[in-house]
Amino acid sequence: MIYWLIFMMVIIAGVLLVVYMVTEAFQNNVQYHTFEFNNFPKSFKKLRLFFISDIHRRNIHSSIIKQSLGKVDFVIIGGDLAEQGVPLTRIDENLRKLKMLGPIYFIWGNNDYEIDEAKLFRIFKKYDVKMLRNDVDFLQSKAGEKIAIIGIDDISQEQDDLHKAMAKISEPCFQILLSHNPDITQKMFDFDTISFILSGHTHGGQIRILGYTPYKKGGVYKYSDIIQLVSNGYGTSLFPLRLGAKPEAHIITLK
């Protein structure tokens, strides 16, 4: 009898844990960050970004958009907007919501390659999404100062070319690097002119057993004068479960 009770308690505990993990996976958290840099161009005063990565199969909840309206200058999608099996209508709807916040930048993640590029491009054109694929876009103030938004392709697909992107920067300016995979830091020792990096990919480990995971935890990392923000991401891979790595989007102020 005692073994039967123990067995039932284990089963109940397991079910409760799974319910908790599903609940955590579908939370809608917006993290606020402010970063100050000595070399940030004064004429911009500040720059406000909405950053979301690893959406995968999720529908962006309207509460995320509602609390971000009017608080950002533009949107950055840090890769893995989708994956195989995600309906194009869902991708379209998620971009429609994000467009409400401002202009959109997009970089490629490994799972984005599972979607027909031509179909993605049609949706990008509809919402005027600026795709950065080993490329640079410049923001310029009325005073003539510039901020470089550098976006590279996915590392795991061996499509990244940071040298190609950096070669397009002809004069000193504040530089923001967008890389889906946070391991870009292992390749950029020659590019100490970059000040800020945005990444995702790891999902913060997604399921952290007793706090442990082999994947990089979401958070802020510093390398000399470089700051890197690694997001836990918004969606999930394989199973809609999370433990100890809550989903998140970000409102970031640079000044």
Side-chain angles (χ1 to χ4, degrees):
M1 183 65 178
I2 186 66
Y3 296 110
W4 173 252
L5 289 175
I6 292 174
F7 174 75
M8 290 302 297
M9 290 175 66
V10 170
I11 294 297
I12 292 171
V15 170
L16 290 175
L17 178 60
V18 170
V19 170
Y20 177 84
M21 292 167 72
V22 170
T23 301
E24 185 167 292
F26 287 94
Q27 289 183 2
N28 295 287
N29 305 305
V30 177
Q31 303 292 332
Y32 290 80
H33 314 266
T34 299
F35 300 108
E36 297 186 17
F37 300 86
N38 291 330
N39 62 335
F40 189 81
K42 293 181 179 179
S43 59
F44 277 88
K45 295 183 179 180
K46 63 182 178 180
L47 194 64
R48 305 172 301 169
L49 323 173
F50 180 88
F51 179 57
I52 189 167
S53 183
D54 303 279
I55 298 171
H56 290 284
R57 294 180 173 273
R58 287 195 70 178
N59 292 297
I60 297 176
H61 197 272
S62 58
S63 65
I64 294 282
I65 303 302
K66 185 176 181 180
Q67 66 179 296
S68 304
L69 279 170
K71 297 180 181 179
V72 299
D73 300 309
F74 56 87
V75 174
I76 294 172
I77 302 174
D80 284 0
L81 168 65
E83 62 180 43
Q84 186 177 14
V86 174
L88 293 175
T89 52
R90 186 176 304 167
I91 299 172
D92 186 292
E93 178 64 10
N94 281 336
L95 288 177
R96 185 192 68 81
K97 291 178 179 177
L98 292 173
K99 185 67 176 180
M100 294 170 64
L101 301 180
I104 302 174
Y105 287 97
F106 169 82
I107 59 168
W108 290 81
N110 53 300
N111 290 112
D112 293 313
Y113 281 93
E114 299 170 7
I115 305 294
D116 187 311
E117 284 192 15
K119 293 178 179 178
L120 271 182
F121 291 163
R122 283 196 289 271
I123 302 175
F124 287 170
K125 184 177 182 180
K126 179 179 178 180
Y127 295 104
D128 196 25
V129 174
K130 179 71 174 181
M131 178 179 63
L132 295 178
R133 211 169 197 173
N134 301 318
D135 204 354
V136 183
D137 192 50
F138 293 95
L139 308 177
Q140 184 168 327
S141 69
K142 293 181 179 179
E145 292 183 301
K146 292 182 179 180
I147 293 177
I149 311 293
I150 308 158
I152 63 165
D153 214 328
D154 186 60
I155 292 177
S156 64
Q157 300 293 319
E158 298 183 349
Q159 300 291 331
D160 59 300
D161 193 338
L162 185 55
H163 289 271
K164 178 183 177 181
M166 295 297 290
K168 298 181 180 183
I169 302 175
S170 59
E171 56 186 301
C173 61
F174 187 82
Q175 297 169 14
I176 301 170
L177 175 61
L178 315 178
S179 171
H180 177 65
N181 194 316
D183 288 343
I184 186 61
T185 54
Q186 299 175 14
K187 294 189 172 188
M188 57 176 291
F189 55 89
D190 289 332
F191 303 115
D192 56 2
T193 56
I194 293 170
S195 296
F196 187 52
I197 308 170
L198 284 171
S199 301
H201 181 58
T202 68
H203 298 190
Q206 191 165 312
I207 298 175
R208 304 179 65 85
I209 306 300
L210 299 178
Y212 174 78
T213 174
Y215 298 100
K216 197 161 193 172
K217 184 179 181 181
V220 178
Y221 296 84
K222 294 186 178 181
Y223 310 92
S224 186
D225 293 329
I226 300 171
I227 294 176
Q228 181 182 39
L229 173 63
V230 180
S231 176
N232 283 341
Y234 187 65
T236 55
S237 288
L238 297 179
F239 304 106
L241 303 172
R242 281 183 179 268
L243 183 65
K246 294 181 179 181
E248 57 190 11
H250 308 264
I251 291 179
I252 303 162
T253 300
L254 307 180
K255 61 182 182 178

